[in-house]
Amino acid sequence: QMQVKESGGGSVQAGGSLRLSCTTSRLDDDDAYIIGWFRQAPGKEREGVACIYTGDDRTFYANSVSGRFMISGDYAKSSLYLQMDNLKPEDTATYYCAARKGWYVGGCLDQIAMSYWGEGTLVTISS
């Protein structure tokens, strides 16, 4: 079992920045994991935002956030981060951190890939 917990959500104006953090219970061992950020806006499906494969630090981004968001990790601290810049009102959503041991051939932005989920943190962007 793996615990995942998000923090860092809040409210900012459009154009601002936020940094989300995700702490996990087991990221500093010898196994490789996919850690991803997903979001769900009111009335919409949950979508993949960004993910990282700890085995080789490959990162992947949704087109809607590419160039504005950056995912990074401090594996010794079992922590992942999502730096979000130039935020837009359409980025408003509950953001979830999720994890999976090992790679998933369908890609890490697919929520089906993930085994462990946090409870989410709310991000609100005002215009």
Side-chain angles (χ1 to χ4, degrees):
Q1 193 71 11
M2 184 175 188
Q3 283 72 49
V4 180
K5 183 174 177 62
E6 312 89 342
S7 62
S11 299
V12 298
Q13 290 189 325
S17 298
L18 279 174
R19 188 192 195 207
L20 304 183
S21 298
C22 174
T23 56
T24 67
S25 58
R26 284 172 30 202
L27 202 59
D28 58 348
D29 57 24
D30 293 332
D31 294 316
Y33 294 84
I34 296 173
I35 310 293
W37 286 97
F38 296 78
R39 68 185 181 185
Q40 187 168 21
K44 294 189 176 181
E45 298 284 323
R46 187 158 57 185
E47 62 177 354
V49 174
C51 54
I52 188 168
Y53 178 55
T54 67
D56 56 15
D57 285 339
R58 277 182 290 165
T59 58
F60 303 85
Y61 297 92
N63 290 336
S64 59
V65 305
S66 182
R68 300 188 297 121
F69 291 12
M70 186 173 73
I71 188 171
S72 62
D74 185 337
Y75 305 143
K77 295 181 179 180
S78 295
S79 296
L80 271 294
Y81 309 99
L82 185 67
Q83 178 66 40
M84 306 186 294
D85 297 323
N86 191 21
L87 284 160
K88 304 176 180 181
E90 51 263 43
D91 294 318
T92 294
T94 297
Y95 284 70
Y96 299 89
C97 183
R100 172 194 174 90
K101 184 176 180 179
W103 181 246
Y104 179 70
V105 295
C108 60
L109 289 176
D110 188 343
Q111 59 179 322
I112 295 177
M114 300 307 183
S115 304
Y116 308 101
W117 290 85
E119 295 183 349
T121 186
L122 180 62
V123 172
T124 304
I125 312 303
S126 58
S127 57

